[in-house]
Amino acid sequence: MSDTNPFSPADTARHAIWEMLVRRDIEAFVAGDWDAHFRDFAADVFFGIDARFSDNPDSWRVTYADIARYREAWLAGAKELKGRIPDEKLRRSIFDLTSLRDIEILGDFALARKKFDGTIRLDDGESVTLRWQTQYFCRQVEGRWRIAGFLGYLPNPMGRTIPAPETVKRTVPAPQPPGHGPYSPVIEVAPGRIVVISGQAATGPDGRTVGTDIRAQARATIENCAEQLRHAGCGLADVFKVNVYLKDLDDWPAFNEVYAEMMPRPLPVRTAVQAGLLRDFVVEIELWAARP
């Protein structure tokens, strides 16, 4: 697509939405200028669903529950390309692989279908392929069109007839004595991106320890693990390996109660050991996950 708006200025709404979703988005991204882009969002209601390049809704995740989370990912993407290709070349490349010609409007609501199909060649010899599509939900607020949310990273083209495979599934184990605790003896992991989370503990946003007993710290620790996974585009359901470090093995039964409540099925394979932990932590957890 060229940088010429395909909608006539007489088609006021579609012309404005294209300018917002294509021109201003690209210009701000190339400049790494979030403030310029932020004005185009209905920030108080914004959300973003990550389809994770799958047309199977079971794989989709609410990765961007608010504008702050999307801002972080957007800025990271802009920073990743900065300095690896001249700004004008990057701008031209993104325009060339971007298409937005289908905008459905009903009153103050609009559904815009933006597609990416192409490769950006970087000056260091590497390349970045963009081949997905995003459905934008737009609202007209105080006379201006804004982005209220999106369903993004859908396959382009759509239409696969075979559902995406499960990332993690339980496999029938070899005969062995009954296990002690909620875990799977063996699981199968479909090929994909491996996400590894460093050991997490019960720390709050202020850096202080959350809770003093094993149940409170276990819950806070698993929640911190889930937050790290969310930023990597996956969740607890994608976890296939867990390492648990306990300060006191007498806490094992209580830990298992919280763990069994919070972890989706099939349960990951798991190892647990007693260890000396930092500060006043009573548990630390490390996770491995597979993103489709």
Side-chain angles (χ1 to χ4, degrees), residues 194-200 221-222 224-229 235-236 239-245 259 263 268-270 284-289:
I194 301 299
V195 177
V196 182
I197 305 300
S198 292
Q200 299 292 304
T221 301
I222 294 173
N224 285 343
C225 289
E227 181 70 3
Q228 293 296 334
L229 291 170
L236 292 174
V239 173
F240 64 87
K241 176 72 172 83
V242 178
N243 293 331
V244 181
Y245 305 93
Y259 182 88
M263 293 299 294
V269 298
R270 189 178 68 174
E284 183 175 333
I285 300 175
E286 174 190 18
L287 299 180
W288 292 58

Side-chain angles (χ1 to χ4, degrees), residues 47-123:
F47 68 94
I49 298 175
D50 181 359
R52 306 199 299 173
F53 307 101
S54 171
D55 55 9
N56 177 7
D58 290 342
S59 299
W60 300 352
R61 297 289 184 271
V62 185
T63 303
Y64 311 108
D66 53 43
I67 195 68
R69 290 178 172 88
Y70 182 63
R71 173 186 180 275
E72 183 177 342
W74 188 92
L75 285 172
K79 183 178 180 181
E80 174 67 21
L81 296 179
K82 199 67 176 176
R84 302 177 67 191
I85 180 174
D87 285 357
E88 181 53 34
K89 184 179 178 182
L90 176 59
R91 176 184 179 277
R92 180 75 271 148
S93 296
I94 300 177
F95 267 112
D96 287 345
L97 58 80
T98 301
S99 174
L100 175 55
R101 298 184 179 277
D102 186 2
I103 302 175
E104 180 181 352
I105 297 176
L106 183 61
D108 289 336
F109 178 82
L111 176 63
R113 301 173 177 91
K114 181 177 173 182
K115 300 181 180 181
F116 303 90
D117 189 2
T119 299
I120 301 173
R121 307 292 179 184
L122 305 177
D123 287 358

